[in-house]
Amino acid sequence: FREALLPAQWAIWVTWNTTPPAILLDSPDIERVDFDKALDEVVAHRVIPPMPLSVLTSDAPYPPPTQPGIPPDFNLTAREAQDVSQRRLAQLVPGARHITQTDSGHNIMLDNPGLVSDSILEVVTAVRDGRTSLFEVAPGLTEPNTRR
């Protein structure tokens, strides 16, 4: 995700997604993420072994930011970067399914639980069947010939 943004855009995204200090004062045990550390680990382990994989990407627009100092249209920049990174993730595993029509926002599991359940069941079934992908992939291709 970070690679899909310019360094200045990444700094804005981190600010936009960091838990505000006032919330930390009220809830000091709230979960926090060190975004750079987390993504450094992703970059260091970029190879994903063959496995059944389904990537679900929300299709609803991100709401515009309300924090001072963040451009009001930054949600469009973040959305584009998210779409790029999700597509790249799906391309790392031959035979993965990338579903982009989810009829949902960020919380796909709440907005479209049937899609999430079906996707989980599809992956679990493939694992139980001993498959290393959801689809057969023609030699030289990174994506399946069929898509949902």
Side-chain angles (χ1 to χ4, degrees):
F1 177 76
R2 180 178 54 194
E3 294 173 354
L5 295 168
L6 298 172
Q9 293 171 326
W10 173 248
I12 293 169
W13 186 90
V14 169
T15 300
W16 188 26
N17 287 277
T18 297
T19 305
I23 292 177
L24 295 174
L25 285 174
D26 288 340
S27 305
D29 294 330
I30 195 166
E31 178 183 21
R32 289 176 252 181
V33 177
D34 180 336
F35 299 113
D36 281 305
K37 181 179 177 185
L39 290 176
D40 287 346
E41 290 180 24
V42 170
V43 169
H45 301 92
R46 190 175 300 262
V47 176
I48 300 175
M51 68 176 76
L53 175 68
S54 187
V55 177
L56 306 178
T57 301
S58 68
D59 52 9
Y62 287 178
T66 57
Q67 293 104 313
I70 297 184
D73 63 347
F74 189 72
N75 58 317
L76 303 175
T77 300
R79 176 76 230 190
E80 183 179 328
Q82 180 68 21
D83 290 346
V84 167
S85 66
Q86 293 284 89
R87 186 171 44 256
R88 288 179 182 166
L89 173 62
Q91 291 171 347
L92 287 175
V93 179
R97 180 189 300 274
H98 185 196
I99 300 172
T100 57
Q101 184 177 349
T102 58
D103 301 317
S104 71
H106 176 74
N107 293 310
I108 300 172
M109 67 285 190
L110 300 177
D111 296 338
N112 196 339
L115 174 64
V116 173
S117 296
D118 290 347
S119 297
I120 292 169
L121 183 58
E122 182 178 44
V123 168
V124 169
T125 299
V127 169
R128 287 181 176 161
D129 290 347
R131 292 185 279 139
T132 57
S133 69
L134 293 180
F135 299 99
E136 292 297 321
V137 179
L141 296 178
T142 59
E143 297 187 38
N145 294 324
T146 56
R147 310 273 277 186
R148 204 187 254 179

